[in-house]
């Protein structure tokens, strides 16, 4: 199976999806994480403008998909 490179937008500073997703996929998912906003600004971090700005950082990473990872704002 091919490896998938996943861009993750998250407001949290603690490691989470960048550790969990590769482990759950037995190494088939590689992650690139962008910390968008901060936990104190959770609502603002999910606004389209904030997500678009954060997602622009993936342009040079050539990711296969982008996900927003936050159990609080999910």
């Amino acid at each position: 199976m091919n490896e998938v490179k996943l861009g993750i937008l998250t407001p949290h500073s603690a490691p989470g999806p960048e550790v969990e997703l590769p482990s759950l996929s037995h190494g088939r998912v590689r992650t690139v994480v962008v910390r968008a906003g901060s936990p104190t600004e959770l609502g603002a971090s999910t606004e389209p403008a904030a997500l678009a700005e954060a997602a622009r950082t993936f342009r040079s990473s050539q990711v296969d998909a982008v996900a927003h990872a936050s159990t609080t704002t999910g």
Side-chain angles (χ1 to χ4, degrees), residues 11-12 37-44:
H12 304 289
S38 72
T40 59
E41 303 165 335
L42 288 176

Side-chain angles (χ1 to χ4, degrees), residues 3-70:
E3 178 182 85
V4 173
K5 190 171 183 183
L6 180 61
I8 299 173
L9 300 173
T10 182
H12 304 289
S13 60
E18 66 269 35
V19 175
E20 295 164 354
L21 291 171
S23 178
L24 290 169
S25 70
H26 303 286
R28 292 187 302 261
V29 171
R30 196 162 39 123
T31 60
V32 177
V33 176
V34 171
R35 308 285 181 205
S38 72
T40 59
E41 303 165 335
L42 288 176
S45 73
T46 61
E47 293 295 321
L51 292 174
E53 182 179 333
R56 278 193 278 282
T57 63
F58 293 120
R59 284 185 181 163
S60 63
S61 299
Q62 295 183 335
V63 297
D64 297 304
V66 175
H68 183 263
S70 172

